[in-house]
């Protein structure tokens, strides 16, 4: 069954994505095909080692695919001639371990890329940053350094830092896995609000509640391949594949 | 005690210690030699232990008129005798001539600044010291005699070691030609024993004066210090520039080569990486002195600008070590930082510049400071290529004064003070950088 999001424009198209490590010894991805539509929230779940993080990291070419193509808004970004940096500006990424720049204040973390890459003026960049900080209730922390923030605060800053670049798609690599349980909620709230505002999102996560509530589509991966995909209702309530059932039994 | 009071206390203690040292040095610098008081030509007062004796013959004293050697402060001449020019004799012990024919005339006895070796090098000099088994019947050089014939008279100069360490006595008399010099020698030795040079510098202070104050020799050290600082500064700047570039190339290759597309970019980087590895191996595998000499005698043999060559040479040398230090720092920055930068859309160079290298520099600052301090001391071999740095300045003074103690200690002390100062400076910088760490 397709969702109405899936009849929309295709933002990212993945065909035959394959990734080997150590010169072929380890196959992390064995030919993945999928389309990600504009405005869609795609959640990728699976056991560790299933290749879900590798899949996500291949989308913005943090990992270089061994084979296959990825098309972003019609352009093949796996072509060596392409300037990947330009395309990465359109794809925001949020990491498990936040990766804020410790030698800069929160505000500088957020305005560095827009000023240097999008050539925004300082006022413009700071204005946008402050607006986003308001949205996540961290307006008073603009001059703090990352080491002074809690994990939940850091991750929220990381999200709005990526949003400052006005990306077309946001990639989340297990954004709450490194957080204390009481802080998971505040980060998920931000992600939910982002989804409601129509952002295209691809999330690798173990937060099944989030997936059920917000995802338009859920992909279950194992062994480097997509095992099953569908709406949250389909996957969680009535999984078809045995491996999917086994996994869900363990985590739910 | 809060840190401000602690610092204040430290400063106060340092000042107090310096003051105590200054006072001690001042008071031990001068001591008044035992001065003989002369009344009516007779010796009064405590005879100093170095007094050899009064020459006496047939109950009559033999007088010798001494040259002016300066009265000590607070004393005045006790004798009412005058020399032919009408000047009062200030410190003198008189030997009256036993008869007019054998009068040795005016004998000048004065302290002399040189050493016995320098006296032995004068024209017409010969040893006139004691004979003993060691010298195989010849006279030893504890006394040097210089004869200068001038017509009917002969000017005889005797140079003796003075009772005061580090000084010599010069005794001079004009005698009718042909007079045996043994008489003069006896007189001279007796007179020498009675020289009261007045205010006498202690050996330490005399050494200091000789090495630094005389002829403004301290300027050798000052100019040398300026040259050393110039070379070190130039070398540090060059070393950091080279080090950052080489470290970036090396760490880029190590971290990223497997993630790069094949093509001209990758080949170029691989080539650069090879060049850097060669540079590191050669520079770290040879002594810096050899590198310096190769630069000076081979590569830049047409240039005589030693300071520039030294700067280049030490800069290139330092660059190799700095490169490895910075590469370690770069590798120690969490890989996630690079990924975050790249995923925002920065290219590799921008990420390095804004994100990685600032963090790397902060973590390697102690090691870099150490390298700078090592460099400061390494430049001391610049003298090998005729650069007049601080160490060479000390050497020059040592060559002129034949005295090793003061110049070497002074040079060492200056290096030490510089190192301590720069260590403190770097500590301050580190603390400011830590402000962002809390």
């Amino acid at each position: 069954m397709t969702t109405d999001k899936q009849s929309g424009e295709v933002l990212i198209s993945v065909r035959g994505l394959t990734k080997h490590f150590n010169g072929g010894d380890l196959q992390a991805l064995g030919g993945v095909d999928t389309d990600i539509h504009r405005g869609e929230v795609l959640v990728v779940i699976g056991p560790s080692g299933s290749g879900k993080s590798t899949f996500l990291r291949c989308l913005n070419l943090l990992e270089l695919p061994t084979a296959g193509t990825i098309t972003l808004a019609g352009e093949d970004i796996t072509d060596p001639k392409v300037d990947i940096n330009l395309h990465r500006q359109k794809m925001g990424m949020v990491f498990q371990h936040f990766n804020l720049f410790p030698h800069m204040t929160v505000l500088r973390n957020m305005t560095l890329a827009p000023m240097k890459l999008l050539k925004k003026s300082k006022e413009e960049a700071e204005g946008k940053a402050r607006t986003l900080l308001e949205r996540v209730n961290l307006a008073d922390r603009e001059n703090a350094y990352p080491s002074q923030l809690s994990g939940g605060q850091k991750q929220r800053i990381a999200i709005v830092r990526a949003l400052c670049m006005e990306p077309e798609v946001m990639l989340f690599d297990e954004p709450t896995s490194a957080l204390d349980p009481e802080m998971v909620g505040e980060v998920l709230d931000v992600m939910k609000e982002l989804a409601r505002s129509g952002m295209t999102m691809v999330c690798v996560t173990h937060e099944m509640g989030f997936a059920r509530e917000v995802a338009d589509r859920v992909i279950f991966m194992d062994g480097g391949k997509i095992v099953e995909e569908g709406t949250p209702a389909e996957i969680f309530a009535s999984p078809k594949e045995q491996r999917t059932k086994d996994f869900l039994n363990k985590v739910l | 005690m809060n840190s401000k009071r602690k610092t204040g206390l430290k400063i106060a203690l340092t000042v107090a210690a310096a003051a105590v040292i200054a006072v001690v040095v001042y008071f031990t610098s001068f001591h008044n030699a035992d001065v003989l008081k002369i009344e009516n030509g007779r010796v009064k007062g405590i005879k100093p232990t170095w007094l050899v004796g009064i020459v006496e013959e047939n109950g009559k004293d033999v007088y010798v008129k001494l040259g002016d050697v300066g009265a000590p402060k607070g004393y005045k001449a006790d004798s009412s005798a005058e020399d032919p020019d009408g000047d009062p004799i200030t410190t003198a012990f008189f030997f009256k001539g036993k008869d007019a024919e054998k009068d040795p005339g005016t004998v000048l006895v004065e302290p002399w600044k040189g050493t016995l070796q320098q006296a032995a090098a004068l024209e017409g000099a010969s040893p006139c010291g004691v004979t003993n088994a060691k010298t195989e019947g010849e006279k030893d050089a504890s006394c040097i005699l210089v004869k200068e014939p001038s017509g009917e008279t002969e000017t005889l100069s005797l140079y003796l070691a003075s009772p005061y360490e580090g000084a010599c006595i010069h005794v001079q008399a004009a005698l009718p030609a042909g007079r045996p010099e043994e008489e003069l020698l006896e007189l001279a030795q007796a007179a020498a024993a009675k020289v009261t040079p007045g205010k006498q510098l202690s050996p330490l202070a005399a050494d200091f004066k000789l090495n630094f104050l005389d002829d403004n020799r301290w300027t050798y050290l000052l100019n040398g210090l300026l040259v050393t600082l110039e070379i070190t500064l130039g070398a540090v700047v060059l070393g950091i520039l080279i080090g950052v570039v080489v470290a970036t190339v090396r760490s880029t290759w190590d971290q990223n080569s497997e993630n790069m597309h094949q093509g001209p970019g990758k080949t170029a980087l691989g080539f650069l990486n090879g060049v850097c590895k060669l540079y590191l191996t050669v520079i770290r595998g040879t002594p810096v002195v050899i590198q310096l000499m190769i630069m000076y005698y081979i590569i830049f043999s047409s240039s005589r600008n030693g300071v520039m060559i030294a700067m280049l040479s030490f800069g290139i040398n330092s660059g190799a070590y700095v490169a490895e230090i910075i590469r370690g720092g770069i590798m120690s920055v969490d890989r996630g930082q690079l990924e975050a930068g790249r995923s925002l859309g920065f290219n590799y160079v921008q990420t390095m510049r804004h994100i990685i290298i600032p963090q790397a520099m902060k973590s390697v600052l102690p090691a870099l400071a150490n390298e700078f301090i090592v460099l400061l001391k390494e430049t001391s071999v610049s003298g090998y290529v005729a650069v007049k740095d601080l160490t060479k300045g000390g050497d020059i003074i040592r060559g002129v004064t034949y005295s090793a103690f003061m110049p070497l200690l002074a040079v060492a002390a200056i290096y030490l003070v510089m190192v301590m100062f720069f260590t403190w400076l770097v500590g301050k910088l580190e603390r400011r950088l830590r402000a962002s760490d809390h």
Side-chain angles (χ1 to χ4, degrees):
Chain A
M1 189 166 89
T2 57
T3 67
D4 36 70
K5 291 272 174 69
Q6 287 201 286
S7 45
E9 172 206 346
V10 171
L11 192 54
I12 301 177
S13 182
V14 179
R15 294 284 176 270
L17 188 62
T18 313
K19 175 68 182 173
H20 294 135
F21 286 111
N22 293 340
D25 284 349
L26 177 66
Q27 192 195 64
L29 290 176
V32 171
D33 299 306
T34 191
D35 286 329
I36 300 159
H37 299 82
R38 191 177 287 280
E40 189 181 7
V41 175
L42 174 66
V43 174
V44 183
I45 60 174
S48 62
S50 57
K52 50 190 200 298
S53 276
T54 312
F55 166 69
L56 191 79
R57 288 158 63 88
C58 279
L59 287 182
N60 69 350
L61 269 86
L62 276 187
E63 304 286 355
L64 207 62
T66 315
T69 55
I70 301 169
T71 314
L72 173 67
E75 268 195 79
D76 177 7
I77 59 174
T78 44
D79 188 336
K81 296 191 199 66
V82 145
D83 181 5
I84 187 60
N85 300 308
L86 280 176
H87 294 286
R88 284 197 182 128
Q89 289 177 22
K90 299 186 211 147
M91 299 193 271
M93 188 151 195
V94 177
F95 299 87
Q96 183 175 352
H97 294 288
F98 332 123
N99 290 339
L100 292 178
F101 306 136
H103 58 299
M104 298 180 192
T105 60
V106 162
L107 193 64
R108 185 77 182 130
N109 258 275
M110 293 172 70
T111 56
L112 182 74
M115 283 170 68
K116 299 277 179 208
L117 297 171
L118 300 179
K119 304 290 186 220
K120 286 196 176 176
S121 72
K122 192 165 172 208
E123 294 75 33
E124 222 187 316
E126 287 187 353
K128 173 125 183 122
R130 288 195 179 106
T131 314
L132 284 166
L133 283 172
E134 287 268 0
R135 256 171 82 177
V136 296
N137 296 320
L138 286 171
D140 57 333
R141 304 298 261 153
E142 71 173 47
N143 287 318
Y145 282 93
S147 60
Q148 298 167 300
L149 303 172
S150 73
Q153 289 170 327
K154 278 193 258 208
Q155 194 63 297
R156 284 185 278 157
I157 303 288
I159 294 172
V160 294
R161 176 178 69 175
L163 289 175
C164 276
M165 289 296 284
E166 292 158 1
E168 294 183 25
V169 57
M170 286 284 280
L171 307 171
F172 291 84
D173 189 358
E174 301 203 36
T176 56
S177 297
L179 294 175
D180 289 339
E182 64 263 25
M183 293 193 247
V184 169
E186 67 199 35
V187 173
L188 289 180
D189 286 341
V190 172
M191 290 168 69
K192 285 177 201 171
E193 197 239 316
L194 198 58
R196 275 194 288 271
S197 71
M199 174 64 76
T200 315
M201 293 164 61
V202 181
C203 307
V204 170
T205 185
H206 294 293
E207 293 291 326
M208 302 303 161
F210 172 80
R212 255 200 281 245
E213 207 182 313
V214 182
D216 295 309
R217 183 159 56 110
V218 174
I219 284 179
F220 172 71
M221 283 183 72
D222 194 10
K225 293 191 168 65
I226 296 178
V227 172
E228 197 174 339
E229 63 179 295
T231 64
E234 287 166 359
I235 296 292
F236 291 114
S238 43
K240 295 192 191 67
E241 300 291 325
Q242 186 57 43
R243 275 189 286 172
T244 322
K245 291 182 196 167
D246 288 341
F247 174 72
L248 289 173
N249 281 334
K250 286 200 207 114
V251 302
L252 288 175
Chain B
M1 220 189 279
N2 67 37
S3 62
K4 265 203 180 138
R5 282 190 68 190
K6 255 192 187 165
T7 319
L9 196 65
K10 272 190 215 165
I11 292 176
L13 279 172
T14 313
V15 169
V20 166
I21 291 171
V23 163
V24 165
V25 165
Y26 178 77
F27 280 107
T28 57
S29 291
F30 302 104
H31 64 85
N32 289 320
D34 296 314
V35 176
L36 302 175
K37 285 200 180 124
I38 298 138
E39 281 173 20
N40 302 322
R42 303 222 63 89
V43 175
K44 292 247 171 187
I46 302 163
K47 292 197 178 91
T49 52
W50 43 259
L51 184 59
V52 171
I54 299 169
V55 174
E56 202 178 69
E57 221 173 321
N58 298 331
K60 284 183 186 169
D61 295 336
V62 178
Y63 288 94
V64 161
K65 198 159 76 170
L66 301 173
D68 178 19
V69 293
K73 205 169 176 183
Y75 289 86
K76 61 178 185 180
D78 281 332
S79 164
S80 54
E82 288 176 359
D83 74 3
D85 302 319
D87 297 324
I89 309 290
T90 47
T91 56
F93 189 80
F94 289 100
F95 289 165
K96 196 160 72 179
K98 45 180 198 181
D99 66 65
E101 283 157 24
K102 288 190 179 172
D103 188 344
T106 309
V107 176
L108 174 69
V109 180
E110 62 175 1
W112 193 65
K113 281 185 190 170
T115 62
L116 281 178
Q117 291 106 308
Q118 288 168 325
L122 294 171
E123 212 180 299
S126 60
C128 55
V130 296
T131 59
N132 55 36
K134 270 193 227 167
T135 60
E136 294 161 354
E138 294 292 319
K139 294 180 182 168
D140 76 8
S142 61
C143 158
I144 305 289
L145 172 70
V146 176
K147 279 193 212 181
E148 285 171 59
S150 47
E152 283 183 359
T153 56
E154 239 175 11
T155 306
L156 287 157
S157 283
L158 281 165
Y159 296 88
L160 307 166
S162 129
Y164 294 93
E165 203 186 311
C168 279
I169 305 279
H170 174 218
V171 181
Q172 190 173 11
L175 293 175
R179 282 285 297 275
E181 60 241 27
E182 277 73 16
E183 274 187 36
L184 180 66
L185 182 59
E186 278 176 33
L187 269 169
Q189 283 177 323
K194 293 157 184 61
V195 166
T196 54
K199 209 173 210 179
Q200 176 73 27
L201 292 176
S202 73
L204 210 62
D207 210 12
F208 185 88
K209 180 170 173 289
L210 174 71
N211 281 296
F212 304 125
L213 302 177
D214 289 346
D215 294 333
N216 284 331
R217 285 176 188 144
W218 59 274
T219 54
Y220 285 120
L221 295 183
L222 180 67
N223 294 329
L225 176 62
L226 292 175
V227 168
T228 290
L229 285 174
E230 198 186 332
I231 295 175
T232 307
L233 202 64
V236 161
V237 169
L238 184 62
I240 290 183
L241 281 173
I242 294 178
V244 168
V245 169
V246 171
T248 308
V249 168
R250 289 274 301 116
S251 62
T252 306
W253 180 260
D254 282 350
Q255 280 180 336
N256 296 323
S257 52
E258 64 244 8
N259 263 354
M260 286 178 79
H261 291 291
Q262 286 298 124
K266 193 171 181 181
T267 326
L269 186 66
F271 173 72
L272 276 176
N273 185 56
V275 166
C276 288
K277 279 175 101 162
L278 181 68
Y279 158 75
L280 289 172
T281 311
V282 168
I283 296 295
R284 297 199 306 169
T286 50
V288 65
V289 175
I290 305 293
Q291 292 166 24
L292 180 66
M293 291 200 282
I294 288 176
M295 289 285 276
Y296 187 80
Y297 290 116
I298 301 176
I299 299 178
F300 285 100
S301 55
S302 54
S303 162
R304 283 294 120 184
N305 187 350
V307 171
M308 182 213 73
I309 295 172
M311 253 196 253
L312 263 175
S313 187
F314 286 111
I316 290 172
N317 181 266
S318 175
Y321 295 93
V322 168
E324 286 300 278
I325 290 171
I326 294 181
R327 185 170 75 90
I330 290 174
M331 305 292 252
S332 77
V333 175
D334 186 58
R335 204 182 155 76
Q337 293 290 304
L338 183 73
E339 291 181 352
R342 297 302 317 262
S343 61
L344 281 169
F346 286 117
N347 66 28
Y348 186 77
V349 171
Q350 288 167 321
T351 313
M352 288 297 274
R353 203 184 125 212
H354 295 293
I355 296 162
I356 307 294
I357 290 188
Q359 295 184 55
M361 293 307 271
K362 203 163 85 169
S363 71
V364 302
L365 199 63
L368 274 186
N370 201 48
E371 175 60 30
F372 167 65
I373 285 164
V374 167
L375 190 60
L376 186 69
K377 294 180 285 174
E378 265 188 346
T379 57
S380 58
V381 297
S382 300
Y384 258 86
V385 295
V387 170
K388 292 212 180 104
D389 74 327
L390 177 62
T391 309
K392 188 77 180 165
D395 266 5
I396 292 173
I397 294 178
R398 191 160 57 84
V400 167
T401 64
Y402 294 99
S403 161
F405 183 80
M406 283 282 163
L408 286 175
L409 280 206
V411 166
I414 294 174
Y415 274 114
L416 181 63
V417 165
M418 280 202 294
V419 165
M420 285 170 68
F421 171 70
F422 286 118
T423 307
W424 169 81
L425 208 63
V426 167
K428 275 195 87 173
L429 184 62
E430 261 186 71
R431 276 190 288 278
R432 269 188 64 189
L433 286 177
R434 290 270 171 275
S436 66
D437 273 3
H438 292 281

